[in-house]
Amino acid sequence: MGVLEQFGSAILSGDIKIVDLTHTLEPDFPVLQLPPEFGQCEPFKIEEVSCYDDRGPAWYWRNFSCNEHTGTHFDAPVHWVTGKDVPDGSVDTIDPDGFVRPACVMDFSNEASGDDDFVLTADHIKAWENDNGEIPAGSWAIFRTDWSNRSGEEYLNMKEDGAHHPGPDADAIRYLIDRDVVGLGVETIGTDAGQGHLFEPQYPAHALLHGAGKYGLQCLRNLDQLPPTGAVIVASPLKIKAGSGSPLRVIALVEG
Ligand code: MN
C-alpha cells in the first residue's frame, strides 16, 4: 500500500483521530483591543438573509463579516511591517505546502496557570527539546498554556496597563526561527504576550517571525488532546486577495 492509502485506511479505521483546535465563530468571541488611537479589530457579525421564509422559501443563509484576525485565525507574513516584503507573504499567495505540517506541542500550562505574564524563553524550549527531541524544521511550534479554558473578560484579561497573557520573548522566537519552524501557534489572542509592547523588540513574535516569513496561529484550543510530538496540523487559511490573515478551521490528526 502507498503511504496515502495507508493514511486513508487509518482515518477510516479510527487509528487516526481528528482533534478540533478551533473556537466557534460567534459575535461574543473576544477580539484584540488596541489603544483607542488605532484602528480596531471587528468582532464576528452575522445577518440572516433568509430562513425558509418569504425571503427564500426553501433555503437558509446568512451574511457574515469580521476582521481577518477574528476568532481562531492564521497570521501571514504581511500582517507585520517586518514581513511586508516577504515574497508570497499574503494568505492567497503563501505556499499551501505549509498548510499541513507536524506539530511540536510545548506544554507550559503549569507555569502559565500561576502567572498570567508567563514568558516563554529559549531555555524553556531547550528544556522541552531535551525531553522530546529537537524541533524538526518545517514543524509548527505550539505553545500550550491552557489559556483557552478562559472566556470573555478573563480571556482578554485587560488591566489598566493593557492585556496580560503569556507569550514568548525575542530569544525564544530567534531560537524557533533558527529551528526553521513554519510558525508559532498559541491559545491566546495574539502570538505575543499581552505586555509584548514592553519587550525588545516590541512584539517579538510578530516582528521577528513574520520578518522571517513564518506564520502565526492564534486562539487555538484543545491542545491538551495533542501529544508532545507526532500530531499533524491542518491549518489552511481562506484565500483572501492580499489577505493579512484569516479565520480558519484548524484540525489536528492524532494517532488514536
Ligand atoms: Mn492575528
Side-chain angles (χ1 to χ4, degrees):
M1 269 203 297
V3 66
L4 265 184
E5 203 175 354
Q6 288 178 40
F7 172 79
S9 297
I11 293 275
L12 293 177
S13 69
D15 287 342
I16 293 175
K17 293 191 166 62
I18 309 294
V19 178
D20 191 351
L21 308 185
T22 320
H23 285 282
T24 301
L25 272 175
E26 55 184 334
D28 287 345
F29 192 81
V31 292
L32 191 71
Q33 291 176 7
L34 297 183
E37 64 267 30
F38 297 121
Q40 299 295 325
C41 179
E42 284 284 331
F44 187 74
K45 290 180 182 167
I46 196 92
E47 169 197 57
E48 192 173 271
V49 177
S50 73
C51 186
Y52 330 120
D53 52 29
D54 55 5
R55 299 169 300 173
W59 51 92
Y60 166 54
W61 57 353
R62 303 183 292 177
N63 295 322
F64 71 82
S65 65
C66 61
N67 190 278
E68 291 173 334
H69 300 258
T70 296
T72 299
H73 71 275
F74 186 103
D75 279 9
V78 297
H79 177 43
W80 216 250
V81 64
T82 50
K84 71 181 170 62
D85 297 322
V86 167
D88 300 325
S90 55
V91 286
D92 56 325
T93 57
I94 57 180
D95 189 345
D97 176 67
F99 298 165
V100 182
R101 290 299 177 93
C104 291
V105 183
M106 301 180 285
D107 178 9
F108 289 98
S109 55
N110 281 336
E111 290 81 351
S113 72
D115 180 4
D116 288 357
D117 293 305
F118 174 69
V119 175
L120 180 74
T121 66
D123 281 344
H124 288 123
I125 301 171
K126 288 173 194 168
W128 183 90
E129 287 189 320
N130 210 34
D131 295 336
N132 299 284
E134 195 172 291
I135 297 172
S139 304
W140 279 106
I142 303 293
F143 177 34
R144 178 181 159 196
T145 55
D146 287 352
W147 197 263
S148 58
N149 293 332
R150 298 176 175 226
S151 59
E153 298 287 309
E154 282 199 333
Y155 184 73
L156 289 179
N157 204 31
M158 294 293 287
K159 312 282 186 198
E160 278 184 13
D161 60 349
H164 288 262
H165 61 72
D169 69 8
D171 279 346
I173 296 299
R174 289 192 189 100
Y175 193 82
L176 292 176
I177 292 170
D178 196 49
R179 284 283 180 259
D180 199 20
V181 297
V182 74
L184 171 67
V186 300
E187 293 174 66
T188 46
I189 205 146
T191 47
D192 273 297
Q195 293 288 292
H197 58 287
L198 301 177
F199 292 15
E200 178 54 43
Q202 280 196 328
Y203 308 112
H206 284 84
L208 301 175
L209 278 176
H210 297 324
K214 310 300 185 188
Y215 313 141
L217 281 175
Q218 286 112 127
C219 309
L220 297 175
R221 66 196 297 252
N222 292 332
L223 299 184
D224 57 325
Q225 296 179 37
L226 305 186
T229 62
V232 171
I233 285 184
V234 180
S236 182
L238 298 177
K239 199 168 183 177
I240 300 169
K241 181 89 175 169
S244 71
S246 101
L248 77 173
R249 191 76 177 250
V250 184
I251 57 169
L253 311 177
V254 179
E255 277 188 57

